[in-house]
Amino acid sequence: GVLQASRTSGPSRSSKKFAAIMLDFDNFKKINDTYGHVAGDRAIVLAADLLRKSIRKGDFVSRYGGDEFLIVLEQCSDSTPTRVIRRIRENAQKFNHDNMLPYAIDFSVGYKVYSSLRGLSSQQIFSGIDELMYQNKHSKTKTTV
């Protein structure tokens, strides 16, 4: 059928999409101030490890600034980022439950899906994602009682 034909013909160059996800480690400054820099450094390592375990092998995660991370998802669909973010949240919840640390690992998140890298500067790629991330962070602080 049609599905089989499209599967065997393979993706065309133009249909390859990628996504950039920016994550801000919630309450990192508070962790540092309350429990010290050694605990803060450990929290960053634990957060990075959690992110690495939440993505596919070919995808990329990097620390981006003090308490921010960047994930690049290669060859993804429009729904891939939301699936990855859900997996990150589930893994964080499980980690926090299992480890009983005096703080929780959680993230504010923003992402964009791009159809092509051609002609895009890194500034164009990141502009707007951090804004979405901060909107997510702000919506959390407003709802916290």
Side-chain angles (χ1 to χ4, degrees):
V2 177
L3 189 65
Q4 197 120 29
S6 67
R7 198 180 290 154
T8 51
S9 63
S12 68
R13 276 238 173 271
S14 62
S15 70
K16 280 187 183 174
K17 292 183 178 181
F18 82 98
I21 305 174
M22 281 188 83
L23 305 99
D24 185 85
F25 189 155
D26 289 345
N27 302 314
F28 177 69
K29 185 179 177 342
K30 195 174 171 187
I31 294 169
N32 246 344
D33 293 347
T34 309
Y35 306 105
H37 290 287
V38 172
D41 289 349
R42 180 161 182 261
I44 285 286
V45 171
L46 292 170
D49 202 39
L50 190 145
L51 294 176
R52 207 172 293 117
K53 288 175 179 166
S54 302
I55 60 174
R56 302 168 303 184
K57 217 180 203 94
D59 295 330
F60 169 82
V61 63
S62 171
R63 190 171 173 190
Y64 184 80
D67 60 353
E68 292 176 1
F69 292 90
L70 172 69
I71 293 174
V72 176
L73 305 175
E74 291 194 78
Q75 294 187 15
C76 70
S77 70
D78 287 336
S79 62
T80 308
T82 50
R83 282 201 310 272
V84 171
I85 292 164
R86 191 171 6 181
R87 196 176 319 130
I88 289 167
R89 297 220 185 278
E90 286 166 2
N91 288 349
Q93 242 175 350
K94 184 181 182 332
F95 176 88
N96 292 329
H97 179 268
D98 292 350
N99 289 278
M100 303 297 284
L101 292 168
Y103 54 83
I105 290 180
D106 199 10
F107 303 94
S108 296
V109 185
Y111 74 90
K112 275 188 181 177
V113 178
Y114 300 88
S115 53
S116 168
L117 264 176
R118 205 174 306 123
L120 282 178
S121 71
S122 58
Q123 193 171 8
Q124 286 171 306
I125 291 169
F126 298 132
S127 76
I129 303 178
D130 53 354
E131 183 56 41
L132 294 167
M133 185 177 68
Y134 287 114
Q135 282 173 17
N136 182 224
K137 189 184 233 16
H138 188 61
S139 69
K140 285 181 179 183
T141 53
K142 277 200 303 203
T143 55
T144 309
V145 179

